[in-house]
Amino acid sequence: MARAALPTDGRPRSPARRRSGRGAQSNASGRFEREKREGFDDGWETVEETSLERPPTEVTTETPRRVITRNSSPDVPFDRSINPYRGCEHGCPYCFARPTHAFMGLSPGLDFERRLFAKPDAGKTLARELSAKSYRCRPIAIGTNTDPYQPIERTWRIMRGVLETLSRFNHPVTILTKNAGVVRDLDLLAPMAERGLVKVGLSITTEDRALARAMEPRASTPDKRFEAVRALSDAGVPTAVMTAPIILGLNDHEIESLLERAAGSGAREAGFTLLRLPLEVSQIFREWVEATFPDRAAKIIRLLQESHGGLDHDPRFGKRMSGEGPHAEMAATRFRTAAARLGLGKRTFVLRTDLFAPPKPETPQLSLFCESEA
């Protein structure tokens, strides 16, 4: 694997043979496969050139009986979520959702970015679930695993259908995305916000366009995301900014500036998480950081491990998102101090659940007995 040299301004420079527009540098088999397969250059230049070019995105449709996923994790403020897609084109090498592709018999590496699964009937399926007499309304979170506004949403419009269903049922929802494409749905989001039914979060990890291109190859640029924050805020949609993940030694120096720009763009809340590398994500991130930032890769990994008990990932509840130790505590203190100063440190908007009601059928059922004509 060719390595990148850093220009004098410290920005990443792509290796000579690096895949264009992708985050993962390899496509190793998932952990459940009997045979482990992984392409590598043995020095004889036998790696196929097509493997280093821009691989196409493939989409497979799914028709699940349910689209609401339940969870009981104490680390997240929701107990149910929806994922319109499996896999994500954004290609973030640190994405904690990557290991889920192993359950599909695919690689959490390149496969996660280019072999995607779409649920085109998600809106209709959701309507059936919300209509069940046993359903009890609580906010649904979308974008907690894979991004609902990743590039293929422009064609598939599944998230649009989900929002239409939620709006009809007056059901509260929180949305998290790295894509400015969320503003496409302002015609739905603004009226829902007036009813206290929606809150949108934009994940913004850096203001540096070159660094963002390396960290999140197919996500919207930082400027576009901040513009989306402003557009949402101006339309009356409560908006938050997530500085997530904070990668010590890479983007932690931007904590204060990110929060200042978020507040200036109209954000009302902010949050952050520390980098964690569960399961296959560890190898994927290590390959990426060594290829992209060879001069500081060792430092980034050292700071990561010092914040997770000597590991790439501490699975303990209460620790895995924020870490521990002096470096993690310093980052958290800086974030809390800046957020409090800018008025972003408290939850200021609570979603309503009292408006929830299944819509009346468009065609009422006819009475069993009809009056005869006089």
Side-chain angles (χ1 to χ4, degrees), residues 68 125-132 135 140 165-166 169 171 356 358:
I68 299 177
T125 304
L126 175 61
R128 290 197 299 269
E129 291 184 74
L130 299 184
S131 298
Y135 184 79
I140 289 176
T165 296
L166 293 171
F169 281 75
H171 196 292
F356 171 74

Side-chain angles (χ1 to χ4, degrees), residues 200-370:
V200 176
L202 271 292
S203 176
I204 308 178
T205 53
T206 178
E207 293 183 83
D208 187 319
R209 181 167 182 158
L211 178 57
R213 175 67 174 170
M215 292 175 63
E216 306 144 349
R218 293 192 172 190
S220 300
T221 65
D223 287 345
K224 289 293 184 181
R225 279 179 260 179
F226 278 115
E227 289 174 8
V229 173
R230 170 52 64 192
L232 289 162
S233 179
D234 288 348
V237 180
T239 310
V241 166
M242 287 292 294
T243 56
I246 293 297
I247 303 175
L248 300 175
L250 186 59
N251 68 340
D252 56 308
H253 64 285
E254 296 189 66
I255 291 176
E256 290 82 3
S257 62
L258 284 170
L259 293 179
E260 289 171 0
R261 190 168 177 184
S265 298
R268 294 169 55 174
E269 300 175 11
F272 96 109
T273 60
L274 204 65
L275 175 70
R276 60 190 181 98
L277 304 177
L279 301 171
E280 293 96 339
V281 186
S282 176
Q283 176 186 342
I284 293 166
F285 179 83
R286 283 171 174 266
E287 291 174 348
W288 172 84
V289 76
E290 288 171 2
T292 312
F293 300 100
D295 66 330
R296 48 179 143 158
K299 178 182 178 182
I300 291 171
I301 296 300
R302 175 176 59 79
L303 292 173
L304 165 73
Q305 293 185 330
E306 289 179 0
S307 300
H308 291 291
L311 306 172
D312 286 1
H313 170 62
D314 183 348
R316 292 178 297 167
F317 290 132
K319 298 295 183 182
R320 56 181 183 156
M321 301 287 198
S322 58
E324 59 184 352
H327 302 296
E329 292 172 3
M330 177 61 73
T333 299
R334 289 173 53 202
F335 176 87
R336 288 193 299 266
T337 301
R341 171 172 57 85
L342 297 165
L344 300 173
K346 296 181 179 180
R347 294 186 62 186
T348 60
F349 191 84
V350 179
L351 298 177
R352 297 183 63 177
T353 58
D354 59 304
L355 299 179
F356 171 74
K360 295 180 180 180
E362 296 181 1
T363 305
Q365 183 177 357
L366 295 177
S367 173
L368 181 61
F369 299 101
C370 298

Side-chain angles (χ1 to χ4, degrees), residues 149 163 173-177 182-202 226-241 262 265-269 348-351:
Y149 286 101
L163 279 180
V173 60
T174 63
I175 301 169
L176 181 62
T177 180
V182 64
V183 299
R184 177 202 66 185
D185 293 331
L186 269 176
D187 61 317
L188 292 172
L189 297 172
M192 291 179 72
E194 291 180 358
R195 306 196 299 273
L197 297 176
V198 66
K199 180 166 63 176
V200 176
L202 271 292
F226 278 115
E227 289 174 8
V229 173
R230 170 52 64 192
L232 289 162
S233 179
D234 288 348
V237 180
T239 310
V241 166
S265 298
R268 294 169 55 174
E269 300 175 11
T348 60
F349 191 84
V350 179
L351 298 177

Side-chain angles (χ1 to χ4, degrees), residues 80-153:
R80 63 199 71 183
S81 61
I82 295 175
N83 294 298
Y85 304 99
R86 294 179 190 257
C88 186
E89 283 185 287
H90 284 163
C92 309
Y94 50 76
C95 180
F96 64 86
R98 285 181 176 273
T100 61
H101 244 46
F103 291 105
M104 310 299 291
L106 299 173
S107 172
L110 188 58
D111 281 347
F112 180 80
E113 305 173 33
R114 68 178 184 90
R115 299 184 66 177
L116 311 180
F117 296 83
K119 306 171 186 177
D121 295 328
K124 296 179 181 178
T125 304
L126 175 61
R128 290 197 299 269
E129 291 184 74
L130 299 184
S131 298
K133 293 182 179 180
S134 60
Y135 184 79
R136 296 295 177 266
C137 179
R138 294 190 65 181
I140 289 176
I142 305 181
T144 58
N145 198 40
T146 57
D147 201 305
Y149 286 101
Q150 58 182 288
I152 60 171
E153 169 63 15

